[in-house]
Amino acid sequence: MATIFIDNQPYEIREGQSLLQQCLTLGLDIPYFCWHPALGAVGACRQCAVKEYRDENDTQGRVVMSCMTPTKDGMRISVDDPQLREFRAHVIEWLMENHPHDCPICDEGGECHLQDMTVMSRHTYRRYRFKKKTFRNQDLGPCINHEMNRCITCYRCVRFYQDYAGGHDLRAFASKDHVYFGRHTDGTLESEFSGNLVEICPTGVFTDKTLKKHYTRKWDLQTSPSICVHCGLGCNIIVGERYGKVRRILNRYNGQVNGYFLCDRGRFGYEFVNSDNRLRQPSLGAHDRSASVTKPQTLAVMADLVRGDKRLIGIGSPRASLEANFALKTLVGVDRFYLGTSDNDTRLAATILEVLQRSPAKIASLYDVERADAVLILGEDVSNTAPRLALALRQALRTAFGGLLETLHIRPWLDRAVRQASALESPSPIYIATPNTTRIDDIAKGLFRAAPDDIARLGFAIGHKLSAQAPEVTDLTDEMGCLATAIAGALRQASHPLIISGSGCVNPAVIHAAANVAVALCEIGKNAQIHLAVAEVNSLGLAMIGGGRLSDAFEVAQEDGAPTVIVLENDLYRRAPRPSVDACLQAAGHVIVIDHTAHNTTTMADCQLPAATFAESSGTFVSSEARAQRFFSTVEPGDDVQDSWRWIRDMAAIRGSEPASGWNRLDDVTVACAQAVPLLHSISDAAPNANFRAVGQRIPREPHRASGRTAIHAQEHISEHRPPTDPDSPLAFSMEGAPNPPPAALIPIYWAPRWNSVAATAKYQSEVGGPLRGGDPGVRLIEPMPMALPIYAVEVPAAFQPRSQEWLILPLYSVFGSEELSAQAPAVADRSPSPHLCLNPKDAAAFGGTEDSRVGLTINGDVYDLPIQIMNDLPVGIAGLPAGLPGIPTPSLPAWGTLAQGLPL
């Protein structure tokens, strides 16, 4: 620690960080534009000026840019000198010369960083009376709206897009004093992180186009803390609602998880909540589906389906909360609950859970990933299966070059200097072994393209080269042997090596190989970490609850004498081949589906029960980091819509089942789950319970500037309706409540006096860029096991052998389209690929196929006619199908198939 003097007052700070960051941590209000906690400093805007004095006798001082100035013990500065205030006012006036006077119609109005800084700099009058620079705006796709005339040339956008996220199609085009930030031509921004420009931009240049379609003023939004449901990473989000509809998603800071950024799937995939495909009232298949059925009528009919000795089968879901899955398991009984994932996914999730429980390596958070200095990725296309993880890996470059920066005496937050220095070094020690090209290949030192079995063999070989106790791999090719030696050497030299794998290859051997490498590194004394990506938001939580395989559920349904099958938030046709699902549902006496969205399974139901989405309910998810996190409702559900666990509670009451019939609020289910499932014993600590109050009051979901809800119900009554009560959380559907910052897990929006933009996040952190006050949200459920004796997987798969006239068909993932819920959002659907088959050029040429032709693919007797997409790096003998797209047999993959020349385009 060091002491500095600010306006003659002493303050304790951390020495070596930038002066701006330390002043903001101390709670001082210094205006800035180009600096960002995640991007570092470049000194472009000159707005964060402070005065630095040589000593206590110096009365003149000198103006310095606080973002570029390192702190040191004993330094003396002023942040409120009259000359300094005048300097800042001039700077903001220069920046505002060409800015339009359009605040009342700007989409950024109400949470604009430029507005905040203008007021803070005391610039209140426009003296510029000449013609302003004007620019043509671009169409940047379905997600981002572009208004270039509002730009103040802070360069944040291109620094994030190019330097931080690795994008190439957004650039700064400059001629003299005309600078334009955009694409070389109109078109959708290619990066899967483009949506972060909405929050990165301090003005209204880049705004949320999905919000613009149903715009509302930011201060009228009702918001709640939540968790993204579109992959297994558990990124923290803020859901904004108005007039009963979700209007937007904002990033919610969590220092251990997503930090300041989200992927576009998480930011724009929310519109399925507002879809016409939503189930908003019960439907009874035995009656006229078009007739309106109330909740009491539904419960009366449902009594005949579940009462007494009716035999029940429960099928859970990895996209439903822990509480909903546990409630269903409690209702039907331990032996009658099935996990609701494909048999492959069930096996993979169980393997991942087993590896994490017995591994001596720590499970890496995204924060840890950014600080790894050597990385091995085995079989996982993280850019598409866990996008935010890929963004974290790009930041690991700084850690890898840490020694060089120290030698050159470059501070790690001096962004431009760091990037110029890193260009002097060879690529970072990141090695990627996947069947297909990935979007982070550009940062890799070594690439290996092979079938999943060969990827696993490479991993096992690396483990053996690190420790002789790990199983040896025989008959390695020279290429694989040399690569294994190089990777093992890089991992051995690293201080914080990281191993990444997951379920993407649909191959347990790949996961076991990754585990062996991590164990071997721990055995030789390395501080190794591991991260295993899972398929869906609660895949790991569902595996912790435990249950039977889906294929076993199908068998029981057909052998059990027409049981009642209860399907929880799940489209079974995405989990198993259609004939198997049809046979199960037709054999069932009755089918009850609890879900929020209509799909193929709901059409087969005798009873459809409308469930609340993540935006309308509360519950707990477990991420791939084994971090339990709570999400809270933002939208009040309709009269006939309720949480899934409440529908199950109602069934339990009809059936007379204890204790489920007595659950009245979420905390009752959460506590029961924690007591019944050993791995989930601490999930109640993920967030304060519903009894929590701050100074005797609930936490308001609406900002204090909210204009109320009178207008929403004006056609009913001129007075505002009584706000609904929320028994499941300490949050209030109101602008009234505790004024103090709530605990981290309950923060509904970031706001502070003078800070209306997302920059107010700094006011909630114990240190700017560091953890939130009181600790980041969530609780870790699995910690590394002390290693007495290393335990290695010993079953090394045989080398992949291509077959004559057959190809191994693997699932390939797309960040847009492969995930079920986000694919229903128009902005995501617009960026989704159409169904196709990926082939190596040699394989395509084997039957006369080219990029502009079609192929007939036969898998298990089913024929698919698909266009060919050439993928040069795909191994010979392997073809790839985009997982999750309409008409793609994802549950059957991987599988062997035959190809024939298809119909012409």
Side-chain angles (χ1 to χ4, degrees):
M1 299 295 288
T3 300
I4 65 172
F5 296 86
I6 303 176
D7 292 316
N8 295 318
Q9 295 296 317
Y11 292 90
E12 292 288 328
I13 54 95
R14 284 180 57 185
E15 190 170 6
Q17 292 192 338
S18 76
L19 186 56
L20 174 60
Q21 184 172 357
Q22 285 299 301
C23 287
L24 293 174
T25 296
L26 292 171
L28 303 175
D29 291 338
I30 296 180
Y32 64 88
F33 286 116
C34 65
W35 180 82
H36 186 278
L39 304 182
V42 291
C45 71
R46 325 306 290 172
Q47 187 63 61
C48 65
V50 298
K51 260 196 174 182
E52 182 181 14
Y53 301 92
R54 291 191 302 271
D55 51 43
E56 63 271 17
N57 299 318
D58 183 4
T59 59
Q60 295 297 315
R62 64 181 184 126
V63 175
V64 299
M65 299 307 115
S66 60
C67 71
M68 303 291 288
T69 305
T71 54
K72 56 185 177 182
D73 191 32
M75 74 184 306
R76 308 183 77 90
I77 65 167
S78 173
V79 300
D80 202 33
D81 182 84
Q83 183 187 12
L84 198 60
R85 292 200 300 267
E86 183 181 3
F87 177 87
R88 290 176 184 158
H90 283 311
V91 171
I92 195 70
E93 188 172 25
W94 303 333
L95 295 175
M96 295 287 284
E97 276 185 355
N98 291 286
H99 194 82
H101 296 211
D102 66 345
C103 291
I105 63 168
C106 178
D107 292 354
E108 195 73 2
E111 56 179 23
C112 176
H113 187 69
L114 177 60
Q115 286 178 335
D116 290 346
M117 299 301 99
T118 302
V119 173
M120 194 179 295
S121 300
R122 305 179 189 181
H123 171 61
T124 58
Y125 183 74
R126 301 282 184 93
R127 295 186 295 168
Y128 186 79
R129 291 293 180 267
F130 304 98
K131 186 177 180 180
K132 293 178 181 286
K133 299 174 190 174
T134 57
F135 301 92
R136 184 186 72 85
N137 300 320
Q138 290 186 310
D139 180 0
L140 298 180
C143 300
I144 304 297
N145 188 68
H146 189 228
E147 181 53 70
M148 185 58 206
N149 292 322
R150 297 172 182 154
C151 182
I152 60 169
T153 323
C154 71
Y155 285 89
R156 267 198 193 184
C157 56
V158 291
R159 289 179 57 217
F160 167 78
Y161 196 90
Q162 294 180 4
D163 299 340
Y164 196 93
H168 302 291
D169 59 321
L170 179 74
R171 295 186 177 276
F173 300 91
S175 176
K176 198 179 176 182
D177 60 344
H178 285 66
V179 184
Y180 187 90
F181 297 95
R183 300 182 82 250
H184 64 286
T185 184
D186 285 20
T188 302
L189 289 169
E190 296 171 1
S191 173
E192 62 272 31
F193 303 104
S194 63
N196 292 291
L197 295 175
V198 173
E199 296 185 51
I200 281 289
C201 179
T203 74
V205 177
F206 300 100
T207 53
D208 186 338
K209 187 177 283 189
T210 66
L211 172 63
K212 194 177 187 70
K213 290 191 303 183
H214 44 216
Y215 186 73
T216 186
R217 281 300 180 186
K218 313 298 178 61
W219 54 80
D220 280 335
L221 286 171
Q222 182 165 259
T223 56
S224 294
S226 191
I227 303 298
C228 177
V229 296
H230 301 304
C231 83
L233 289 177
C235 292
N236 289 207
I237 59 174
I238 293 172
V239 181
E241 172 270 350
R242 181 69 171 169
Y243 289 95
K245 290 187 175 181
V246 176
R247 300 303 177 99
R248 70 165 181 187
I249 298 293
L250 279 184
N251 182 74
R252 178 165 64 104
Y253 182 86
N254 186 319
Q256 288 294 319
V257 188
N258 48 295
Y260 292 94
F261 305 119
L262 294 173
C263 76
D264 287 0
R265 183 164 75 186
R267 186 180 296 274
F268 302 113
Y270 69 89
E271 288 189 288
F272 77 92
V273 176
N274 307 325
S275 169
D276 293 337
N277 206 32
R278 283 290 308 278
L279 301 177
R280 299 189 184 275
Q281 67 179 45
S283 177
L284 302 175
H287 304 279
D288 182 5
R289 284 184 182 271
S290 63
S292 177
V293 182
T294 65
K295 180 181 174 183
Q297 291 172 327
T298 303
L299 293 175
V301 173
M302 199 161 55
D304 295 332
L305 309 183
V306 300
R307 180 177 288 152
D309 59 353
K310 293 280 188 181
R311 295 185 63 77
L312 306 180
I313 290 176
I315 298 178
S317 171
R319 59 178 173 86
S321 67
L322 285 177
E323 289 82 359
N325 279 291
F326 175 74
L328 181 58
K329 185 173 183 177
T330 303
L331 173 68
V332 301
V334 173
D335 297 332
R336 309 281 291 182
F337 177 75
Y338 302 89
L339 294 180
T341 54
S342 70
D343 285 1
N344 278 334
D345 286 347
T346 299
R347 179 176 55 158
L348 292 167
T351 301
I352 288 173
L353 179 58
E354 177 192 1
V355 165
L356 296 180
Q357 284 184 271
R358 62 177 172 82
S359 176
K362 178 188 175 185
I363 305 171
S365 67
L366 296 187
Y367 175 88
D368 298 323
V369 171
E370 292 183 356
R371 283 149 185 80
D373 54 356
V375 182
L376 171 62
I377 302 174
L378 280 179
E380 195 70 18
D381 181 5
V382 293
S383 299
N384 288 305
T385 61
R388 187 59 184 79
L389 176 58
L391 186 63
L393 283 167
R394 287 191 177 276
Q395 314 325 309
L397 295 172
R398 286 176 177 254
T399 302
F401 297 129
L404 174 65
L405 299 181
E406 189 173 345
T407 300
L408 297 176
H409 304 290
I410 296 175
R411 306 282 183 176
W413 40 266
L414 292 171
D415 186 65
R416 185 58 56 189
V418 169
R419 297 192 183 280
Q420 289 176 345
S422 65
L424 304 174
E425 286 282 301
S426 60
S428 59
I430 296 178
Y431 295 87
I432 302 175
T434 54
N436 57 293
T437 301
T438 76
R439 286 195 293 278
I440 58 171
D441 288 350
D442 59 303
I443 63 171
K445 188 172 184 178
L447 299 172
F448 181 65
R449 302 283 180 250
D453 282 345
D454 286 339
I455 291 172
R457 287 168 60 82
L458 174 66
F460 279 110
I462 295 169
H464 180 70
K465 290 185 180 294
L466 290 168
S467 170
Q469 294 191 55
E472 185 177 5
V473 182
T474 58
D475 301 326
L476 277 179
T477 64
D478 291 340
E479 176 195 8
M480 289 179 65
C482 292
L483 184 59
T485 300
I487 296 174
L491 295 174
R492 185 181 284 109
Q493 293 174 11
S495 299
H496 302 284
L498 170 66
I499 313 301
I500 293 176
S501 188
S503 59
C505 270
V506 200
N507 190 310
V510 174
I511 299 170
H512 284 303
N516 272 17
V517 177
V519 171
L521 286 168
C522 291
E523 184 187 349
I524 63 175
K526 289 296 177 180
N527 184 24
Q529 298 185 88
I530 188 169
H531 191 108
L532 302 177
V534 295
E536 296 178 69
V537 61
N538 207 23
S539 293
L540 198 60
L542 185 64
M544 290 177 174
I545 289 177
R549 299 184 307 166
L550 189 57
S551 59
D552 294 335
F554 293 165
E555 292 179 8
V556 171
Q558 296 177 64
E559 297 172 356
D560 211 18
T564 295
V565 176
I566 304 172
V567 182
L568 171 65
E569 297 186 35
N570 209 334
D571 182 5
L572 301 183
Y573 289 97
R574 293 180 63 93
R575 312 292 183 179
R578 177 171 289 274
S580 300
V581 180
D582 285 342
C584 169
L585 299 183
Q586 290 167 6
H590 300 284
V591 177
I592 300 174
V593 176
I594 308 171
D595 213 332
H596 45 70
T597 305
H599 44 67
N600 290 330
T601 304
T602 60
T603 62
M604 302 289 289
D606 299 298
C607 181
Q608 298 175 15
L609 303 179
T613 64
F614 78 101
E616 300 153 342
S617 62
S618 301
T620 311
F621 293 136
V622 179
S623 71
S624 55
E625 187 201 340
R627 181 181 294 269
Q629 299 182 105
R630 192 72 43 78
F631 62 96
F632 297 100
S633 62
T634 310
V635 184
E636 182 190 3
D639 293 338
D640 294 322
V641 177
Q642 62 180 7
D643 300 50
S644 294
W645 70 264
R646 283 194 160 90
W647 283 116
I648 298 168
R649 185 271 315 272
D650 293 341
M651 294 184 207
I654 293 170
R655 195 172 171 86
S657 301
E658 295 291 344
S661 59
W663 292 335
N664 295 315
R665 60 181 188 174
L666 180 71
D667 289 337
D668 298 334
V669 196
T670 305
V671 170
C673 181
Q675 293 174 346
V677 184
L679 274 174
L680 301 176
H681 70 278
S682 59
I683 59 172
S684 296
D685 299 332
N689 64 30
N691 294 324
F692 174 84
R693 297 292 183 272
V695 293
Q697 295 178 292
R698 288 179 176 266
I699 311 302
R701 284 180 169 92
E702 298 175 8
H704 67 274
R705 299 168 297 169
S707 57
R709 303 259 151 175
T710 303
I712 298 178
H713 304 287
Q715 78 281 8
E716 303 169 15
H717 203 276
I718 61 172
S719 63
E720 187 167 343
H721 283 207
R722 181 184 179 88
T725 57
D726 183 359
D728 297 329
S729 80
L731 300 169
F733 287 102
S734 170
M735 61 187 288
E736 300 173 353
N740 296 332
L746 299 177
I747 297 172
I749 193 69
Y750 295 110
W751 179 90
R754 307 181 79 185
W755 298 84
N756 297 288
S757 73
V758 294
T761 303
K763 300 295 185 179
Y764 293 77
Q765 296 168 323
S766 58
E767 178 182 5
V768 174
L772 295 169
R773 292 175 185 168
D776 292 314
V779 57
R780 288 278 291 255
L781 302 179
I782 300 176
E783 295 297 341
M785 290 289 293
M787 186 172 64
L789 293 173
I791 302 175
Y792 291 102
V794 296
E795 295 184 12
V796 180
F800 172 73
Q801 297 294 332
R803 297 183 185 179
S804 177
Q805 305 302 315
E806 278 192 305
W807 283 259
L808 178 62
I809 314 299
L810 295 178
L812 301 183
Y813 301 90
S814 172
V815 64
F816 304 114
S818 289
E819 195 273 326
E820 178 183 5
L821 298 179
S822 62
Q824 301 181 48
V828 172
D830 188 76
R831 300 172 70 178
S832 300
S834 56
H836 59 273
L837 182 72
C838 295
L839 285 173
N840 181 286
K842 293 181 180 179
D843 286 330
F847 56 89
T850 61
E851 184 80 40
D852 58 351
S853 64
R854 301 183 74 85
V855 63
L857 168 65
T858 303
I859 301 177
N860 298 327
D862 296 322
V863 181
Y864 306 89
D865 183 47
L866 299 165
I868 292 176
Q869 184 176 107
I870 299 298
M871 185 175 285
N872 292 323
D873 285 353
L874 203 62
V876 173
I878 289 178
L881 275 175
L885 299 189
I888 299 298
T890 303
S892 302
L893 302 181
W896 289 92
T898 59
L899 305 179
Q901 193 163 10
L903 299 174
L905 287 173

